[in-house]
Amino acid sequence: MINATLLRRALAEAVGAFGLVFAGTGAIMIDAESGGMIGHLGIGLTFGLIIMVMIYATGHISGAHFNPAVTIAFAAARHFPLSNVPVYILAQLAGAVAASALLRAMFGGIADLGATFRPVATASRSSSKPSSPSFDVRDHRRRDRRPGGRSGGGYRDWRNGRPGGDLRRPDLRRFDEPGPLACAGARLRHLGEPVAPYRRTGARSTGRRVRLRRHSSRTAGGNSVTEDKKIRVLFLCTHNSARSQMAEALLRHHGGGDVEVHSAGSEPGQVHPLAVRAMAESGVNISGAESKHLDQFIGQNFDYVITVCDRANETCPVFPGDPKRIHWSFDDPSAAAGLEEERFQAFRDVRNLLNMRLQNWLLAVNR
């Protein structure tokens, strides 16, 4: 029987798969119809952008698989409940088929809906017998065998018979549909793998961590002195038991000694054991962490105050020094229902999304 949580995740997978197929395939079809106006780069950007949008829109709900191969791979690696695989795959197929059906109704069969392999009728010069259809991924343009058909470079668009010697293939190779997206240059490690410290691209060869420092000036003896200070970051959620604790640990892991990071809650409880387990799976130990009350940090100066739940965002107090306020909305993994492994998956998902969001943020801070 499908519970409400699993049904919600399946719906998110269906929406994600629909958006991916509709935007990506639609770009291929429009490119074919317009004679290559979008181009390979445009199609690639379309796929990348729609994946990013769908991950941000539904990733916190379902993990943003969008592809049966990703779901099966996670299940094979024991990072996803095997019992949920059929539900996810059916939802993904339903979303993809619905998108393809809508595209066909809107545009017809242009570019075979972006198919990579398509049947191409071939004629044999040495035999009078008609050749059987074959699949050819090297060239999807067919020579015109009719008299006069070799004009314009010897090819005709087999889809509509237009002559032309500089024709583009109306279809492109199929783009794979990845799982959760890691930002460019980030060292995001997916389920179960150690989380590597974030480093700038230029620091890869030296192994230095990213520098999260801010510069402040003061006057000493009539001279202006510039000080290099750590950036102070505060993560807030309601109970300071899972989301903010994982965010604090991940940022401290990535930033090392260049960042001073804290977390707190408006109604602190106990650090959730599944949050401890999820972080330990990634090589970060928070077994000694304690939930802290927000009042402990009232009146302190921070450079960034980041809320990771909607309730904390609504009740966030004002801090001195005009810190930059950021809100990242994540579902509370503690509220997940089901068996322990299904609940643990919710903590894994939030951990991975936090890691991805933090590394994107680090890239932006250091520009």
Side-chain angles (χ1 to χ4, degrees), residues 238-257:
T238 304
H239 301 297
N240 192 218
S241 62
R243 290 164 290 186
S244 54
Q245 288 284 352
M246 290 192 287
E248 176 189 357
L250 286 168
L251 182 55
R252 182 177 291 115
H253 181 81
H254 291 310

Side-chain angles (χ1 to χ4, degrees), residues 12-81:
E13 282 295 296
V15 170
F18 179 93
L20 180 62
V21 172
F22 186 83
T25 302
I28 293 174
M29 296 173 72
I30 293 172
D31 181 66
E33 185 65 12
S34 63
M37 293 295 292
I38 296 178
H40 291 259
L41 179 60
I43 292 173
L45 287 173
T46 300
F47 271 100
L49 289 171
I50 190 60
I51 289 171
M52 181 182 72
V53 169
M54 288 295 104
I55 287 176
Y56 274 86
T58 67
H60 63 287
I61 301 174
S62 67
H65 295 190
F66 306 154
N67 187 340
V70 176
T71 301
I72 293 171
F74 281 170
R78 299 182 180 179
H79 295 314
F80 186 75

Side-chain angles (χ1 to χ4, degrees), residues 34-362:
S34 63
M37 293 295 292
I38 296 178
H40 291 259
L41 179 60
I43 292 173
L45 287 173
T46 300
F47 271 100
L49 289 171
I50 190 60
I51 289 171
M52 181 182 72
V53 169
M54 288 295 104
I55 287 176
Y56 274 86
T58 67
H60 63 287
I61 301 174
S62 67
H65 295 190
F66 306 154
N67 187 340
V70 176
T71 301
I72 293 171
F74 281 170
R78 299 182 180 179
H79 295 314
F80 186 75
L82 192 61
S83 59
N84 291 356
V85 170
V87 177
Y88 264 50
I89 291 178
L90 286 174
Q92 292 157 2
L93 291 176
V97 170
S100 296
L102 181 57
L103 286 170
R104 189 172 185 85
M106 294 172 63
F107 303 113
I110 297 174
D112 282 356
L113 296 179
T116 304
F117 297 90
R118 66 161 61 103
V120 178
T122 59
S124 173
R125 293 183 179 179
S126 60
S127 173
S128 59
K129 295 181 180 179
S131 59
S132 58
S134 63
F135 290 90
D136 184 7
V137 296
R138 295 169 298 178
D139 194 350
H140 293 280
R141 296 173 299 182
R142 188 177 63 187
R143 284 191 179 275
D144 190 349
R145 301 295 182 184
R146 294 175 298 177
R150 294 186 180 273
S151 61
Y155 289 103
R156 282 184 182 269
D157 185 336
W158 69 274
R159 180 168 47 81
N160 54 27
R162 291 196 301 252
D166 188 26
L167 289 176
R168 290 170 42 84
R169 265 181 14 192
D171 66 312
L172 301 175
R173 65 176 178 81
R174 183 182 62 198
F175 286 77
D176 292 331
E177 301 170 13
L181 179 68
C183 65
R187 276 101 180 132
L188 176 64
R189 296 295 181 262
H190 289 289
L191 306 174
E193 298 184 23
V195 178
Y198 171 87
R199 296 181 180 89
R200 290 178 296 184
T201 304
R204 182 180 301 175
S205 58
T206 63
R208 293 176 297 169
R209 288 177 182 264
V210 63
R211 289 183 60 80
L212 283 174
R213 299 273 182 167
R214 61 182 172 87
H215 301 286
S216 60
S217 299
R218 65 181 179 85
T219 302
N223 297 320
S224 178
V225 179
T226 299
E227 296 180 332
D228 201 16
K229 294 185 178 181
K230 294 181 180 180
I231 285 182
R232 300 191 79 225
V233 180
L234 177 65
F235 289 100
L236 297 177
C237 68
T238 304
H239 301 297
N240 192 218
S241 62
R243 290 164 290 186
S244 54
Q245 288 284 352
M246 290 192 287
E248 176 189 357
L250 286 168
L251 182 55
R252 182 177 291 115
H253 181 81
H254 291 310
D258 293 328
V259 59
E260 182 183 339
V261 56
H262 303 276
S263 67
S266 56
E267 300 174 9
Q270 298 293 324
V271 178
H272 202 290
L274 291 181
V276 176
R277 179 182 165 191
M279 294 303 297
E281 186 180 62
S282 292
V284 180
N285 183 9
I286 62 169
S287 58
E290 296 181 354
S291 295
K292 301 170 287 294
H293 199 284
L294 173 62
D295 291 347
Q296 181 177 335
F297 299 97
I298 295 295
Q300 295 189 28
N301 288 299
F302 290 94
D303 297 287
Y304 295 90
V305 175
I306 303 175
T307 53
V308 291
C309 80
D310 295 334
R311 186 174 176 186
N313 183 48
E314 295 172 357
T315 59
C316 182
V318 176
F319 288 86
D322 193 24
K324 184 171 290 187
R325 276 284 311 277
I326 301 174
H327 176 56
W328 297 337
S329 180
F330 294 98
D331 285 346
D332 185 3
S334 305
L339 302 175
E340 182 174 351
E341 284 305 309
E342 294 176 325
R343 290 163 45 225
F344 181 47
Q345 183 61 40
F347 283 83
R348 278 173 166 159
D349 292 342
V350 171
R351 176 201 65 194
N352 290 339
L353 290 167
L354 278 168
N355 195 40
M356 179 180 66
R357 188 68 67 89
L358 281 167
Q359 297 207 43
N360 278 320
W361 178 71
L362 286 168

